[in-house]
């Protein structure tokens, strides 16, 4: 919306109603202070000899021998009148007149406060272009005023004018005290995260920080900001190049290690930057981020080692304890998982007792601990106890994912229809809730071995929510299990079409071909693509190893399958690695790995079929 700018009022008498008189009196003291400050800022190059006394105590240190102790405002009647009318007009919604009055006064007096008020009035009217005009005039009139650059940058960003954004940001950095400049520069990528065009945002970061990046090595924070900007824009080549320069400028900078973590997925060798930093200066923030990265990459044993180091150094780190519990649970180390969760819940209680009215005592809610305890109990077969923990996590029975978990426990206890009814009756507070409810019901059916029913449920859901990649993928996986291979292939190819970076879809289709011993060349292309998207993923690595075995290269297969099993001691990976070792005559090791797999999941179909087919003496 643009302001309709009215002409400034004339000096003719202006009659105020009784209501406006009351408003005028209420505003008078504020206007006097505002205008006095504004007038005091005006510094003519040749002040007249009869200039009024200054309000600056430093400039007039001697008290007057005669006269009043309190001096009058420097503001004359015309200025007071102008600002008073401007404020009343703003209160009445006539922002155009108010803006013009304040803007004219600001230009005449070169007042930071009046420029700011003009900008604020324009923003109040949602007149971005007028706000920008005032902010730019403010910068031009008072180039050393940091707020002028900050306002200009914020308005340009809101208007999407990225081409003009770098100059005021550079000015804002320059007007920041030198010790704080690295911090301001480091925050730039996050400050610009509202810009939809991520590449444009990255270019703004580069242009605004150019003086701090050259000559080399430059400021490490400036190079790190450039790297973060290009990483968000999806340009890993530029992000890595900037990271190299940040590292050269200051290899100990924490942001260097965190950026290396983000880029590690595409370039695994960057992990050495993280490990070197942790060796030279072990920072809990970096160590926890590294542990979480290892966990999401299914390198669970290594993640556990990092988390153990954190809780040894920081025994009150609740985030580390709950993450450690999740890793131990994934490794089926139930006693250790329970110990870590109990410690987390104890810390939560201590923090609440220490500050019962402080809602910000922890970044992680106790609910996470209750959910973890529920999973531990379920893994031990204690279904009733698991349900008790879930009730504690959601006493109001209002959280969809927790109630879905309760429904699944009902089904495990034979109350299938009651569980499904509980899911369907849950309220939908946002659009995705309907999708989440269908996914939860389908998972419930899959857990019970009712694959055909789950397949039909997802098929119906795909008609109701067309082209949802999660539904398509889940239906494809069920189709594979039901040997509906053609349907499964169509669904997976549709997922890839909708979401070209869906690594699991590439891997699933490639693995399907490998497992059936068909189209192995195409399978290799698909699995290689999946591994490019998720380097080091143990399930994709397992697919590649299984492909090598099916292609008649068991020695090569063992390398990949060992790598996958070290990263993730999954039962299905154990089945594949054991079969290849059995074929190579390494039967004792094969039996050992199979026994480990059975201990984790005695009902796994792939492992049971493998052992039976090979007539292994387990």
């Amino acid at each position: 919306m643009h302001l309709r700018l009215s002409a400034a009022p004339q000096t003719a008498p202006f009659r105020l109603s009784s209501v406006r008189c009351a408003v005028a009196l209420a505003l008078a003291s504020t206007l006097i202070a505002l205008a006095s400050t504004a007038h005091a800022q005006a510094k003519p190059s040749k002040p007249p000899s009869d200039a009024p006394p200054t309000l600056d105590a430093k400039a007039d240190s001697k008290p007057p021998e005669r006269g009043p102790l309190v001096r009058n405002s420097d503001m004359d009647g015309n200025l007071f009148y102008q600002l008073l009318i401007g404020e009343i007009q703003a209160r009445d919604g006539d922002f155009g007149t108010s803006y013009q009055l304040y803007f004219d006064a600001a230009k005449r007096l070169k007042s930071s406060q009046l420029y700011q008020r003009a900008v604020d009035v324009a923003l109040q009217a949602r007149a971005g272009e007028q706000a920008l005009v005032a902010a730019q005039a403010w910068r031009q009139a008072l180039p050393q005023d940091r707020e002028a650059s900050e306002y200009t940058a914020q308005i340009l960003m809101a208007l999407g004018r990225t081409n003009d954004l770098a100059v005021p940001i550079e000015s804002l950095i320059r007007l920041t005290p030198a010790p704080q400049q690295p911090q301001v520069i480091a925050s730039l990528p996050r400050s610009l995260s509202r810009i939809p065009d991520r590449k444009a945002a990255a270019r703004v970061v580069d242009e605004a920080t150019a003086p701090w990046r050259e000559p080399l090595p430059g400021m490490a924070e400036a190079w790190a900001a450039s790297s973060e900007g290009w990483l968000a824009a999806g340009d890993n080549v530029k992000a890595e190049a900037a990271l190299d320069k940040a590292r050269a400028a200051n290899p100990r900078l924490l942001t260097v290690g965190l950026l290396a973590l983000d880029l590690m997925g595409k370039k695994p060798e960057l992990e050495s930057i993280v490990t070197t930093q942790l060796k030279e200066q072990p920072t809990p923030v970096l160590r926890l981020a590294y542990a979480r990265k290892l966990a999401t990459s299914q390198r669970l044993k290594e993640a556990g080692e990092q988390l153990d180091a954190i809780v040894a150094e920081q025994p009150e780190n609740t985030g580390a304890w709950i993450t450690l519990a999740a890793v131990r649970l994934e490794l089926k180390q139930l006693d250790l998982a329970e110990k870590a969760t109990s410690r987390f819940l104890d810390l939560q209680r201590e923090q609440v007792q220490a500050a019962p009215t402080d809602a910000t005592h922890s970044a992680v809610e106790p609910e996470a601990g209750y959910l973890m305890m529920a999973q531990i109990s379920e893994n031990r077969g204690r279904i009733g106890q698991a349900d008790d923990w879930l009730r504690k996590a959601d006493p109001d029975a209002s959280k969809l994912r927790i109630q879905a978990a309760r429904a699944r426990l009902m089904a495990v206890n034979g109350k299938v229809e009651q569980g499904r009814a509980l899911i369907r009756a849950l309220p939908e507070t946002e659009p995705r809730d309907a999708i989440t409810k269908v996914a939860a019901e389908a998972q419930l059916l899959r857990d019970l071995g009712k694959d055909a029913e789950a397949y039909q449920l997802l098929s119906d859901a795909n008609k109701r929510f067309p082209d949802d990649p999660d539904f398509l993928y889940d239906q494809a996986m069920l189709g594979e299990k039901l040997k509906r291979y053609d349907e499964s292939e169509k669904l997976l190819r549709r997922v890839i079409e909708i979401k070209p970076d869906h690594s699991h879809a590439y891997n699933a289709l490639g693995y399907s071909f490998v497992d059936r011993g068909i189209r192995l060349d195409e399978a290799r292309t698909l699995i290689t693509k999946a591994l490019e998207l998720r380097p080091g993923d143990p399930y994709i690595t397992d697919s590649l190893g299984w492909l090598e075995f099916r292609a008649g290269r068991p020695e090569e297969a063992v390398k990949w399958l060992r790598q996958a099993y070290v990263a993730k001691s999954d039962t299905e990976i154990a089945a594949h690695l054991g079969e290849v070792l059995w074929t190579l005559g390494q039967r004792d090791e094969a039996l050992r790995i199979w026994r480990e797999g059975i201990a984790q999941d005695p009902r796994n179909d792939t492992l049971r079929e493998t052992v039976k087919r090979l007539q292994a003496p387990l």
Side-chain angles (χ1 to χ4, degrees), residues 202-397:
R203 286 193 294 270
V204 170
V205 172
D206 275 2
E207 291 171 17
T209 62
W212 290 269
R213 288 184 289 113
E214 299 293 345
L216 293 176
M219 183 188 287
E221 288 83 357
W223 284 111
S226 174
S227 178
E228 189 175 345
W230 288 112
L231 180 64
D235 192 329
N236 291 338
V237 174
K238 287 185 178 179
E240 187 184 342
L243 174 60
D244 287 341
K245 290 185 172 63
R247 187 184 180 198
N250 182 4
R252 291 175 174 267
L253 185 68
L254 175 61
T255 312
V256 168
L258 295 173
L259 283 166
L261 270 180
D262 287 334
L263 287 162
M264 209 174 89
K266 299 290 184 181
K267 199 163 185 180
E269 55 265 34
L270 293 178
E271 186 175 358
S272 63
I273 295 176
V274 181
T275 54
T276 299
Q277 272 201 2
L278 288 174
K279 184 177 179 181
E280 293 178 352
Q281 49 175 32
T283 308
V285 171
L286 180 60
R287 195 182 292 282
L288 183 56
Y290 183 43
R292 286 171 173 162
K293 184 74 171 182
L294 292 170
T296 55
S297 301
Q298 296 300 314
R299 294 166 58 182
L300 298 173
K301 292 178 182 177
E302 296 169 83
E305 291 169 2
Q306 295 296 330
L307 291 162
D308 282 336
I310 294 172
V311 297
E313 183 180 348
Q314 295 186 324
E316 296 186 357
N317 189 322
T318 53
W321 278 113
I322 196 65
T323 307
L324 178 60
V327 168
R328 295 302 183 203
L329 177 62
E330 190 73 12
L331 290 169
K332 304 297 182 182
Q333 299 170 346
L334 301 184
D335 289 343
L336 291 174
E338 182 176 10
K339 181 180 177 181
T341 309
S342 296
R343 177 59 179 154
F344 166 79
L345 290 172
D346 288 343
L347 287 170
Q348 287 281 336
R349 282 190 288 270
E350 290 172 11
Q351 291 172 352
V352 170
Q353 290 169 2
T357 60
D358 184 4
T360 62
H361 63 273
S362 175
V364 187
E365 293 297 324
E367 176 187 306
Y370 300 145
L371 291 174
M372 191 66 64
M373 283 298 200
Q375 292 181 67
I376 293 167
S377 298
E378 185 181 355
N379 273 265
R380 287 174 170 157
R382 301 170 185 171
I383 304 303
Q385 189 180 75
D387 188 59
D388 289 341
W389 282 113
L390 291 174
R391 288 176 184 273
K392 197 168 185 178
D394 184 20
D396 297 330

